[in-house]
Amino acid sequence: MAVLSVGQSLPRVDLAAKVTGKAEYVFNMELPGMLYGKAVRSLVPHGEIRAIHAEEARQLPGVVAVATGADLDGLYPWFGPVIHDQCPLAIGRVRYVGDVIAAVVAESEAVAEKAAELVQVECEELPAVLDAYHAMQPGAPLLHPELRLPDTGFTDVRAVLHPEPGTNIVNYFRLRRGDVTKGFAQADHVFEDTFRFPNIQHCPLEPHASIARFEGNGVLRVWSSSQTPYNVQVALAQMFHLPQSRVRVDVPYLGGGFGSKTYPKLEPLAAVLAWKTRRPVKVALTREEEFITVNRHAVTVQIKTGVRRDGSFTAREVRLVWDTGAYADIGPRLVKNAGYASVGPYRIPNVKVDSYCVYTNKPPAVAFRGYGVPKVAVAHEVQMDRIARKLGLDPLRYRLREVVGEGDTFATGETLHSVGYQELLRKCAQEIGWGSKPAPSRAGKVPGKGLSVSIKSTITPSASQAEVRIYEDGSAAVLTSTVEMGQGSDTALAQIAAQALEIDPGRVQVIHPDTAATPYDMTTSSSRSTFHMGNAINLAAEDAKQQLRDAAAAMLRATPADLVYEGGEFFVPSQRERCVSLAEAARGTGTGRGGVTGRGLFRTDGGLDDSGQGKASVFWFAAAGAAEVEVDTETGQVHVVKFVGGVDVGKAINPQSCRQQNEGSIITGLGATLNEELVYDNGQAVNPSFLEYKLPTFLDLPDVLQTVEVETAHREGPYGAKGMGEAAVAAVAPAVLNAIRDAVGAELRDLPVTPEKVLAACAREEGNAGHDRDHNTCQRS
Amino acid sequence: MAVLSVGQSLPRVDLAAKVTGKAEYVFNMELPGMLYGKAVRSLVPHGEIRAIHAEEARQLPGVVAVATGADLDGLYPWFGPVIHDQCPLAIGRVRYVGDVIAAVVAESEAVAEKAAELVQVECEELPAVLDAYHAMQPGAPLLHPELRLPDTGFTDVRAVLHPEPGTNIVNYFRLRRGDVTKGFAQADHVFEDTFRFPNIQHCPLEPHASIARFEGNGVLRVWSSSQTPYNVQVALAQMFHLPQSRVRVDVPYLGGGFGSKTYPKLEPLAAVLAWKTRRPVKVALTREEEFITVNRHAVTVQIKTGVRRDGSFTAREVRLVWDTGAYADIGPRLVKNAGYASVGPYRIPNVKVDSYCVYTNKPPAVAFRGYGVPKVAVAHEVQMDRIARKLGLDPLRYRLREVVGEGDTFATGETLHSVGYQELLRKCAQEIGWGSKPAPSRAGKVPGKGLSVSIKSTITPSASQAEVRIYEDGSAAVLTSTVEMGQGSDTALAQIAAQALEIDPGRVQVIHPDTAATPYDMTTSSSRSTFHMGNAINLAAEDAKQQLRDAAAAMLRATPADLVYEGGEFFVPSQRERCVSLAEAARGTGTGRGGVTGRGLFRTDGGLDDSGQGKASVFWFAAAGAAEVEVDTETGQVHVVKFVGGVDVGKAINPQSCRQQNEGSIITGLGATLNEELVYDNGQAVNPSFLEYKLPTFLDLPDVLQTVEVETAHREGPYGAKGMGEAAVAAVAPAVLNAIRDAVGAELRDLPVTPEKVLAACAREEGNAGHDRDHNTCQRS
């Protein structure tokens, strides 16, 4: 091949746009005549709306309208990716502090904000449930007495959707493999641990923002910070009783998603306000609103594992209770995917998982980078170290012996492929200097090291479409609905298309999502774009080349099958000098035909049965982590000296982008491990700002932050590539926790690992010193 | 078919957008941070720029830059559809009063205008040529000593492009069929006439407007009032040395084109100013600038015809001299197409046409509704009546006998199809009450009637691409680069797609041109969209249905070939009850694939050889006109009492739209016949405003304006349809002139027919009364 762009660390194509501030984000967009919507939010976690007094707000100069649930008359007001339990404006009931009761629309954002404060709401408070354990008990106050299931939806969730009527359990996923009773009976040791994880927030640089406008020709146009433009299109078409063809969703650059911008979020509200006022309306969240609008699931993980004397597994049982907040969003699927991932990447013959998705009167928990796995990986990896200690095994060698490899069967019954744990573990261990004990930097600082692995699926089944248009000069546009949200998709997809066409990547332009222009893609999430959209682009490029091959053959008076394409030219090998360039073939003979468009559809199959058996994922994320920490035994402060995050990327389309994604994953993981927690008081977030919510800063990062990219080519991936963007997140916390245990013997089971918790764990450890207990074995290593 | 949308007078889909003022036009568009460009124009018709003094302008607060030809350094500054003779900013030489010497860019339009007036230009005036006859003489001052031919271009023009080096003749088209010398020798009578036509202007409601912005990712985006987005894309890519994929041209609604917005116009200037300032720049013309930027060719037509005693033709010779102004634009093609059309739709065995396209120091003449034919039709039709009078033939019966019909051979040697002149003439004659003489409305008013026919080609060869996307709910988007410029394409194309898919046209959305999203179309002009894009859409719809048929077959466990598609459903005829809807097939099984996209390419072949023989057109416009006028013998005022315009539409996709297009054509024709003329004084337009340039108002319209649509199905047209939008224009002037002759005997050969000219002609006629002359036989009928 003449031009090799795949595998090259080409500079990001969005670099100039972003550093010059020219990149367009919905949050910054202004349309002529645009109004601004601002939500009036519930102050109680659960209540019935009795009256809304908006007279004073309406009289404020600049206020155009105040909308309430009553304004949804004539619309289908419900939305939600799995359950239709959300409304753009509350109808009767509010279910969390922050739930949208009304919205003010005004000529400026400032007026809208001021007017929103003037709206008085009479609300009769109802009993609230503020944690999942209480919420799932019989007799707990019910958030949604009836569940509205849409006609269509994600087949993978629908197949395993088992709400428990009369409770707040919106989904119960179970996995059964082998016989755990028998398995535990065969065990020499049984370990049981419980881990707890709080809500955290995605903190995208660009808060959620949506603009809606009803055009004169009856089309509803929406510009939105969405990772799922097509899903939004479908939801709005349903809400406004419009054909999908009359809802057009555009996504320009998106300033960070991390899962928070999947499925409808602000779009229904913006559209309703535009519909009511007949003018374009923008709704954008303040940072405080961002914190109370979506977050990451809080969860409790109970994990019980039986092992033989040599450490080999006989059984594992996991019980997961997820706090999904007031609306289901994608929670019902997340508890499935994190459910089977909770088994960990190990060969375990008997497995039982029960995973509950439970409504509570808290803000909705949604998808978050790692999709639940960063929590379940803490459980299996911290316990793994505990087992190793109990049995006197080296954590590295133990993992190397028990971890899954090529051809092994996973808990879901499927065969694993492209899971390079051996190489990952060895490389991460080597980079961290596994086996040697570093000297403390000064007295009172105790060093330690820890390892981890994690496994995660990607959304399956799914579909991606791409079009590759070849212009008459041989340059190409790639039309996909993949959202460039900072992950580098524009660059990677351009490289894939350039490689397929054997042209300079600078001649490939990736077009941003627009449901009227770019074809269907299920979602930009689940780190699926390189694999799925890359494949779709390859198919589209082949389709385009096939059309051009026919044209070139006619020009060369040859049969298409005899033509070779190389370096941007078609030719018959025996007559290399007589060739037709991509441009010539695209132009065609005569006046020209205006180029060609190739199309590609990449679709995966899969799904699980009621026992959680089947095919969960078209590829698997394999990650490993290695941490070196120093714990200040006086303050409890944990400093991560070095972190090595390893991911099997299949094939690095752009090695530098892969490194950057891994670095981002590690930082996300470190924030959740050491700093981040959304704290609630009676359902009210008490730290919804960057002053109080401790997102890691550059000063909080490890002294050395290192990534390892392993390439175990995936046979179905484009050039062997698979997804990797979020893979490393899950390996971070367990490696750090294991390193802290290694340093000071502290057994930590609740995130984040604050200095207070470390000191308390150390104190517990002092008290337990010398005792050997079946559970929670703790000793200074 | 369950849904019949083709043939229905559905309301225009752009109706609401337009009557509510919501339709978006570039002229009204504003982008954030946008600057405004205003041209500094030449005051002399021909000159060398010696110096440009812009200091004062630059110091005006709000002025960001003043650009001149020197700023084109590093660019390829030339553009033009046939000859690269234009620059966005003059380099050294100016060639007409209005030529762009410099441009001011400012924060507001008002400041830009004011600053433009402050720019001082030192210009050394050169000898100018202000009419085509003088310009084509040897030794005349040359406008373009060298002609820059682009590498690629329209094959139909290039094949017949014969500039005459060392002269101002930029193209000379000739047609030779049979032997005119022999033909004239066989004639019993030879008629010679000369007709003159002035420049007129298109007067689109929306003046030309273009906005250009260089995006952060290196893409040049342009929003423009263009009828040819892809042509603009190619020109800008060449100018800025960019791949086509990095130039993106959007065309929202366009407020009237009439040919004036084909090929690059303001786009290069807007792009150059955006490139210089690094900000979005809008250039929009004032009405006065509109008048001096483009216009319709002035032309002199000499026509000589030999007939036998019975009126049958033996030979025709036509000499056409077109004043194309200072830059060629599409003139070289126009002189070809109007050249062969000048023969008229008659069976004439020996034909000779010489058509000259000549540079003059006047604003560039460009395409205009009718493409030259409204002038040549005056020549052959006024002469036709003169022949009839000479030979004592009834103009209707004479035409019916001599006009071409199905299977006849045209002057270009090709066989004619779908030319319903017989029906057109009979119907128009019937509607006008041919044969009866109306009573004058009052004394001094003399009534008369006249008939006409005309023939016109459409651009051939050409190509149109379409995509039809079927969403998961079975609704559809039609992606084409056809520009909705008021002609009703959104409606007609939606109807065609709806018919092909057998769905409600309300579920079809036509997407406006965007070269990054909608596939190639050569041009929205030449009344070609219904025929070409309609065919492309049918192909795309079939392609989409084929994909869905395969999906449906899998769902029904049937073979695709066994399936019938009817009323939006696939089924096996023997099992009608088991069916798969369009939506179900689009969704596919399982999680879905996101619908399908079908593609269609419709391409025509053709072209003429050096004798003007070959295939000129994929279909032919056949039109007829019938006028009843009343001439005020005292004032010379002509009042058109009734006009009937008839067009063979092949098949009326939307009958009401066809009528409206015909009405528009007739009004355009009447304006040129009675009112419109751009007057120049030493190259300077003296009436460039709606106060002085007499565009017809509603008060100027006939008392009765009637249209006749005949449907002679075209075998290659979608549902038999062919183009018709501009067909009637050419039939207007000759019918009115013939009616005036019928009324008062006045022989008029110069348009517009002002009262002064009528009175003068009547006076000449009085002087000639009773004389029988070979040429210019005039007598009161």
Side-chain angles (χ1 to χ4, degrees), chain A residues 68-364:
Chain A
T68 69
D71 290 296
L72 303 175
D73 265 14
L75 303 182
Y76 176 80
W78 309 105
F79 67 91
V82 181
I83 314 284
H84 277 187
D85 56 3
Q86 293 188 69
C87 275
L89 293 156
I91 300 181
R93 180 91 71 101
V94 288
R95 295 184 181 84
Y96 70 95
V97 177
D99 214 353
V100 179
I101 295 173
V104 174
V105 191
E107 299 284 351
S108 78
E109 209 160 1
V111 169
E113 265 178 44
K114 196 171 165 190
E117 287 168 16
L118 298 176
V119 176
Q120 301 293 323
V121 179
E122 288 178 40
C123 209
E124 184 183 323
E125 206 164 344
L126 299 173
V129 279
L130 297 168
D131 72 84
Y133 264 104
H134 287 104
M136 71 192 295
Q137 303 308 321
L142 288 185
L143 274 87
H144 300 276
E146 282 174 65
L147 293 184
R148 197 172 288 100
L149 292 174
D151 293 342
T152 58
F154 300 112
T155 48
D156 69 313
V157 202
R158 289 177 70 83
V160 298
L161 190 64
H162 298 293
E164 299 204 347
T167 76
N168 285 311
I169 297 171
V170 59
N171 193 18
Y172 161 43
F173 167 77
R174 48 183 232 152
L175 182 151
R176 301 290 183 267
R177 181 168 182 80
D179 180 339
V180 282
T181 311
K182 217 168 71 184
F184 282 117
Q186 295 164 349
D188 298 312
H189 301 274
V190 173
F191 294 81
E192 281 190 69
D193 293 284
T194 299
F195 298 85
R196 288 185 184 81
F197 302 87
N199 296 113
I200 64 173
Q201 222 271 337
H202 309 73
C203 300
L205 265 180
E206 180 194 23
H208 286 70
S210 299
I211 301 173
R213 177 168 75 182
F214 280 86
E215 313 251 305
N217 59 359
V219 170
L220 167 57
R221 285 201 73 167
V222 173
W223 294 262
S224 189
S225 64
S226 176
Q227 299 176 237
T228 54
Y230 267 93
N231 192 285
V232 168
Q233 183 206 34
V234 169
L236 294 177
Q238 188 163 21
M239 182 168 288
F240 290 93
H241 309 298
L242 289 170
Q244 270 177 255
S245 58
R246 285 169 72 178
V247 179
R248 182 170 181 177
V249 180
D250 271 88
V251 183
Y253 286 118
L254 187 147
F258 313 118
S260 72
K261 294 167 181 170
T262 45
Y263 316 114
K265 291 284 180 285
L266 300 182
E267 298 87 354
L269 179 59
V272 164
L273 300 179
W275 179 69
K276 184 175 165 70
T277 59
R278 304 270 147 207
R279 285 179 56 186
V281 176
K282 179 179 189 173
V283 180
L285 298 186
T286 63
R287 183 57 61 183
E288 180 175 344
E289 285 179 298
E290 184 72 26
F291 273 102
I292 61 171
T293 296
V294 290
N295 62 39
R296 187 180 85 162
H297 288 79
V299 60
T300 304
V301 185
Q302 292 172 281
I303 184 167
K304 178 181 166 189
T305 307
V307 294
R308 294 192 194 83
R309 243 165 236 109
D310 66 354
S312 58
F313 295 99
T314 61
R316 172 161 283 171
E317 191 174 331
V318 187
R319 182 181 154 91
L320 302 150
V321 178
W322 304 85
D323 174 354
T324 207
Y327 300 102
D329 199 87
I330 201 62
R333 177 198 277 145
L334 186 141
V335 308
K336 163 175 77 74
N337 293 14
Y340 54 70
S342 71
V343 176
Y346 297 109
R347 285 178 276 105
I348 308 178
N350 304 295
V351 177
K352 178 183 175 188
V353 177
D354 295 292
S355 186
Y356 296 91
C357 182
V358 186
Y359 282 131
T360 66
N361 291 110
K362 282 162 66 187

Side-chain angles (χ1 to χ4, degrees), chain B residues 494-510:
Chain B
Q495 285 181 251
I496 289 172
Q499 179 84 32
L501 299 171
E502 301 184 41
I503 62 174
D504 180 345
R507 295 177 66 77
V508 177
Q509 189 63 36
V510 177

